[in-house]
Amino acid sequence: MTTVRTTIRRKLVAGMMLTSVAVLVLTGAALVVFDIVSFRRALVRALVTRAQILAANSSGALAFENPEDASQILAALKPDPSMVAAALYDQQGRVLAAYPVPAAAPARWPRKTGSGQRFEKKWLVVDQPVLEDGRWLGTLYLKSDLRALDERLRLYELVVALAIVGSSGVALALAAWLQRGIARPVRALAEAARNVSEHKDYTIRAHVVSDDELGLLAESFNEMLREIEKRDVDLRQLNADLEWRVNARTAQLEASNHELEAFSYSVSHDLRAPLRHVDGFADLLQRHARESLDDKARHYLAQISDSAQSMGRLIDDLLVFSRMGRTEMQDQRVDLNVLVEEARRVLANEAANRDIHWRVSPLPETRGDPAMLQLVFANLVSNAIKYTAGRAGAEIAIGAEQSDRETVVCVRDNGVGFDMNYSHKLFGVFQRLHSADEFEGTGIGLANVRRIVQRHGGRTWAEGEVGRGAAFFFSLPRETQGEWSERKEAA
Amino acid sequence: MSELKRVLLAEDSAKDVELTLAALQDSHLVNEVVVARDGAEAWEYLSCTGAHANRPPVAPAVVLLDLKMPKLDGHEVLRRMRADPNLRTVPVVILTSSREERDIAQSYDFGVNAYVVKPVAFSEFISAVKNLGMFWAVLNEPPPASARKAA
């Protein structure tokens, strides 16, 4: 900010100074040249006049060849210190008289009847013919130095220098006064802009000082600020509304989540109690009346117990499923190989006495909730073991493929398979493609798989053919931790 | 038989009381079982107040607590017991239908000795009760009297 401010002022002042000095120098130079030229002319004129006067006076001395008179006449030049030398030559070119000493003038003068004047180095020389009644008698030689010219030049230098200094001062003062009218409003505008950007205070206004372009600029700036302030207020209002709505929605969600929890707690506690009673009293009845009951009655009692227990299992499964959607998820590095090993270890009993050929390829590392992903593998592997039962040469393959965006894991078996027409039902709650008599289970496993994978941001799908086996796929997005936490917040 | 301390069963459901008693009987329990039908009654018995103000102040051998009960729930009874110097060491077993993690966690927070989820299958319930009895040494065997008196 400061540099910009200084620059504008400096630029203004420097511009004015340069202009005035340039004008002054040019004008001064022209004046000096003109004056020097006219002064030289005047010098020549004065010396020629003096030479003509001296020549007129010395005609007698020359005519009578009287050196004393001639010397006296030349001695009249003494009061003028600029006179360097003077001499009178006779018709033969001999020196009749010289001033101040004989050596000062050329010893002989070529016979010459004409007049002339010339500048020789630092001197002005005038030859003046001495005439009497039109008859040439000799020549007067006058040599003057140019000290007058030099003095005049020096004076000029002084005057011009003084004029430059003086006018520079005036120009400086003027520039300073003028820049107030330009730089000051600009500076004020810049200051206002800085305050706005620093304090984000859009109520600030620039002070409009003039009705020129700068005033217009300040007004436009203020107009802009008014618009921004209005939008700022609108935005704040909008944000406040949004926040309020988010809070309201969150409260609703929390309430419904709370209700859901209360519901599942009630299912867990209250729904199971009557079932327990049914089974308990059926059991007690069977114990107490075992002797008096016939086989059919005992069978009925067994059916009651069986039904109660199977409903108990359904409720338990439903609870697990509902908990799967509610529990908080961990975010960890997960080695899928470990999960597969663990699943196989847990399911070792189910695979016991079975001849299963396992083909487990190395699996990549991913991020997620290890306990939940463990459940995914447990369900898929358990299914594979279950649905290859009774098949000679059962084969279960587990592998994974990675793309830039996701990891796709596949659990494939060569079991009973399924009809692709019903594949959409596979991942539903309590959906079964085989009867409970054929294969055990409540039909919650794949629903859990889908829910867990969905909570991880992935997809689930399956391929199969009746009698030829099935392949279950799930994908897990490959993502940064940041994306993960974002989605976790949203989930 | 009077040497044996009682077992307190706090359970609001009459059917559950009947089934639990049957299961205890099946385990050949010889201790007398006192039944409290809600948490408040259980606490009156334990603290010898209210209807039980005149009973001899002998702490029960073990307390079987349901969680969801009217007036005072199982957690509250457990919390009060653990805060009472005379009842602090009495073994408490939570017998409940709830598998909710927070219920289990809170029970252990309050210092429960065992947490048993009542299974739907009655036969499993009987074996759970049997295991409990063996573990707490209150079933079929008289408790070590000296230790109880100290408590």
Side-chain angles (χ1 to χ4, degrees), chain A residues 329-388:
Chain A
M329 279 167 74
Q330 305 271 318
D331 172 23
Q332 287 176 20
R333 289 178 164 281
V334 183
D335 185 352
L336 296 180
N337 298 298
V338 174
L339 298 189
V340 170
E341 267 172 43
E342 178 65 14
R344 286 182 59 186
R345 197 184 59 75
V346 169
L347 298 166
N349 273 341
E350 292 181 32
N353 306 323
R354 290 273 312 278
D355 179 23
I356 299 173
H357 179 51
W358 293 89
R359 283 193 293 126
V360 182
S361 312
L363 301 173
E365 209 177 56
T366 179
R367 290 198 79 88
D369 184 308
M372 286 189 169
L373 291 177
Q374 166 69 55
L375 208 64
V376 168
F377 277 109
N379 274 307
L380 293 181
V381 172
S382 162
N383 277 354
I385 294 173
K386 193 178 359 176
Y387 293 109
T388 50

Side-chain angles (χ1 to χ4, degrees), chain A residues 265 270 272 276-277 279 287, chain B residues 16 68 97 103 121-122 126:
Chain A
Y265 183 81
D270 300 341
R272 281 155 48 98
R276 213 171 48 238
H277 300 157
D279 189 63
R287 282 158 197 257
Chain B
D16 268 322
K68 210 175 162 190
S97 309
D103 281 343
F122 187 63
I126 289 178

Side-chain angles (χ1 to χ4, degrees), chain A residues 334 336 362-367 399-410 474-479:
Chain A
V334 183
L336 296 180
L363 301 173
E365 209 177 56
T366 179
R367 290 198 79 88
E401 272 179 29
Q402 271 189 310
S403 69
D404 287 346
R405 292 170 54 204
E406 55 183 14
T407 303
V408 175
V409 181
C410 172
F474 68 92
S475 72
L476 295 171
R478 304 181 69 181
E479 57 197 340

Side-chain angles (χ1 to χ4, degrees), chain B residues 48-57:
Chain B
C48 304
T49 52
H52 298 279
N54 296 322
R55 78 169 182 92

Side-chain angles (χ1 to χ4, degrees), chain A residues 195-390:
Chain A
N195 278 336
V196 168
S197 68
E198 257 179 23
H199 305 115
K200 306 286 171 235
D201 180 2
Y202 301 113
T203 58
I204 290 172
R205 292 289 176 272
H207 184 49
V208 182
V209 282
S210 52
D211 55 358
D212 56 6
E213 289 89 336
L214 284 172
L216 199 69
L217 187 65
E219 259 171 33
S220 312
F221 181 71
N222 286 344
E223 181 56 42
M224 212 165 69
L225 277 180
R226 262 191 292 278
E227 187 64 25
I228 290 175
E229 188 189 355
K230 189 175 157 290
R231 288 190 193 184
D232 192 47
V233 168
D234 289 353
L235 203 66
R236 274 168 210 267
Q237 184 62 43
L238 214 65
N239 266 341
D241 286 356
L242 204 65
E243 200 168 325
W244 183 84
R245 252 187 286 172
V246 166
N247 284 343
R249 210 55 63 80
T250 310
Q252 276 177 4
L253 268 174
E254 272 168 4
S256 71
N257 216 19
H258 197 73
E259 265 171 39
L260 206 69
E261 246 168 73
F263 171 75
S264 72
Y265 183 81
S266 143
V267 166
S268 150
H269 199 272
D270 300 341
L271 226 55
R272 281 155 48 98
L275 277 175
R276 213 171 48 238
H277 300 157
V278 170
D279 189 63
F281 288 111
D283 192 282
L284 286 179
L285 176 60
Q286 205 245 347
R287 282 158 197 257
H288 280 266
R290 187 179 300 149
E291 303 310 318
S292 52
L293 288 177
D294 61 6
D295 283 351
K296 206 159 211 173
R298 276 199 290 273
H299 169 71
Y300 293 153
L301 272 177
Q303 291 292 66
I304 291 172
S305 283
D306 202 41
S307 301
Q309 284 171 30
S310 103
M311 187 165 170
R313 273 194 301 277
L314 285 173
I315 288 174
D316 286 350
D317 284 351
L318 207 57
L319 278 174
V320 169
F321 179 70
S322 114
R323 207 173 294 142
M324 209 62 69
R326 288 182 290 128
T327 50
E328 203 164 311
M329 279 167 74
Q330 305 271 318
D331 172 23
Q332 287 176 20
R333 289 178 164 281
V334 183
D335 185 352
L336 296 180
N337 298 298
V338 174
L339 298 189
V340 170
E341 267 172 43
E342 178 65 14
R344 286 182 59 186
R345 197 184 59 75
V346 169
L347 298 166
N349 273 341
E350 292 181 32
N353 306 323
R354 290 273 312 278
D355 179 23
I356 299 173
H357 179 51
W358 293 89
R359 283 193 293 126
V360 182
S361 312
L363 301 173
E365 209 177 56
T366 179
R367 290 198 79 88
D369 184 308
M372 286 189 169
L373 291 177
Q374 166 69 55
L375 208 64
V376 168
F377 277 109
N379 274 307
L380 293 181
V381 172
S382 162
N383 277 354
I385 294 173
K386 193 178 359 176
Y387 293 109
T388 50

